[in-house]
Amino acid sequence: MLLFLDLVTSGLLREDLPLGSSSQPWALKIAAELSDMEGNRVSAIDVLIKAEGRTVKPMAKKVHGVDERRCEQYGVKQNAVLATLTDLAGKALRVVTYGDFDKRVITSLLINLESQTNTKKGAFVSRWDRAGLEFLNIQDPVCTRECSILKEGDGLDEDQLRWPSLEEACEHLLTTSYEIDKADAWSGLNATKSLFFELLNRGHFEQKAC
């Protein structure tokens, strides 16, 4: 089974802080779809998360427009969603994301939850980042090589490629156009899923039995 994942978050990860710090970003929206290797949906979640006193960085609000008030009013409790997400991950062989950001945010939230609940270190994270579960970042190197977008700037090698955005990857690699809504994690998930199967058809990624 495959688990596709996309998040809308309160900001960017801070490299000066450990994962699990309360100052790291939280997920405002979590979208995840468990599917078979033909792309048929088996189960899915797409939820807004309660703020519970947390804030959204101004730059993040500018990008996606989702604020704390909306999260608190219409969202559900984070811990219940994390439990469902790790349960879905337990049924998958691969978690497919565009970039490694979403995986790291979920890991950070689980570490923080362990600390808040005085749970044994690794008790929740081990259900997520476990042996036998592959986290597949399709952005780099595969989409980077397939899109072949050169970096710009003085002093760069002529063949230096940069990571394509999700929108750029869809534009370069898919015949169907995608308008990705930054406020909608499901929109990003569907684009990631389409890219994965396109790249699979192009001979990337080892086929795994479901």
Side-chain angles (χ1 to χ4, degrees), residues 86-107:
T86 55
D87 193 21
L88 289 174
K91 298 170 174 56
L93 293 176
R94 279 174 167 162
V95 177
V96 182
T97 58
Y98 196 81
D100 68 350
F101 176 79
D102 292 346
K103 177 206 172 183
R104 295 178 66 204
V105 170
I106 295 298
T107 302

Side-chain angles (χ1 to χ4, degrees), residues 81-135:
V81 179
L82 289 176
T84 301
L85 179 62
T86 55
D87 193 21
L88 289 174
K91 298 170 174 56
L93 293 176
R94 279 174 167 162
V95 177
V96 182
T97 58
Y98 196 81
D100 68 350
F101 176 79
D102 292 346
K103 177 206 172 183
R104 295 178 66 204
V105 170
I106 295 298
T107 302
S108 179
L109 294 173
L110 290 170
I111 293 172
N112 184 261
L113 179 59
E114 289 172 356
S115 177
Q116 287 182 353
T117 57
N118 293 316
T119 304
K120 181 181 177 182
K121 184 178 180 180
F124 297 144
V125 175
S126 62
R127 298 183 59 196
W128 170 244
D129 197 355
R130 60 174 173 79
L133 180 62
E134 177 189 4
F135 285 87

Side-chain angles (χ1 to χ4, degrees), residues 77-205:
K77 287 187 174 293
Q78 172 187 277
N79 294 352
V81 179
L82 289 176
T84 301
L85 179 62
T86 55
D87 193 21
L88 289 174
K91 298 170 174 56
L93 293 176
R94 279 174 167 162
V95 177
V96 182
T97 58
Y98 196 81
D100 68 350
F101 176 79
D102 292 346
K103 177 206 172 183
R104 295 178 66 204
V105 170
I106 295 298
T107 302
S108 179
L109 294 173
L110 290 170
I111 293 172
N112 184 261
L113 179 59
E114 289 172 356
S115 177
Q116 287 182 353
T117 57
N118 293 316
T119 304
K120 181 181 177 182
K121 184 178 180 180
F124 297 144
V125 175
S126 62
R127 298 183 59 196
W128 170 244
D129 197 355
R130 60 174 173 79
L133 180 62
E134 177 189 4
F135 285 87
L136 184 61
N137 166 13
I138 67 171
Q139 181 186 40
D140 191 66
V142 179
C143 281
T144 299
R145 292 172 181 167
E146 286 282 344
C147 293
S148 296
I149 303 172
L150 294 175
K151 289 182 178 180
E152 297 179 358
D154 296 333
L156 294 173
D157 295 335
E158 290 184 2
D159 59 349
Q160 240 179 320
L161 304 178
R162 68 169 173 83
W163 296 351
S165 67
L166 182 56
E167 292 86 350
E168 288 172 331
C170 290
E171 181 181 350
H172 280 75
L173 304 178
L174 301 178
T175 55
T176 304
S177 61
Y178 269 87
E179 290 189 13
I180 299 166
D181 184 351
K182 296 291 188 181
D184 181 13
W186 193 254
S187 170
L189 183 149
N190 279 328
T192 299
K193 182 179 178 181
S194 294
L195 283 169
F196 171 81
F197 283 106
E198 172 61 27
L199 293 167
L200 192 67
N201 289 335
R202 294 187 183 200
H204 296 285
F205 318 129

Side-chain angles (χ1 to χ4, degrees), residues 6-47:
D6 195 81
L7 310 178
V8 174
T9 66
S10 64
L12 298 176
L13 285 164
R14 291 182 54 179
E15 300 301 334
D16 61 321
L17 295 175
L19 285 181
S21 167
S22 59
S23 296
Q24 293 287 17
W26 53 286
L28 285 65
K29 290 187 176 181
I30 297 178
E33 178 182 316
L34 188 70
S35 79
D36 62 23
M37 279 301 300
E38 283 69 51
N40 300 307
R41 184 189 306 171
V42 176
S43 187
I45 57 172
D46 180 17
V47 289

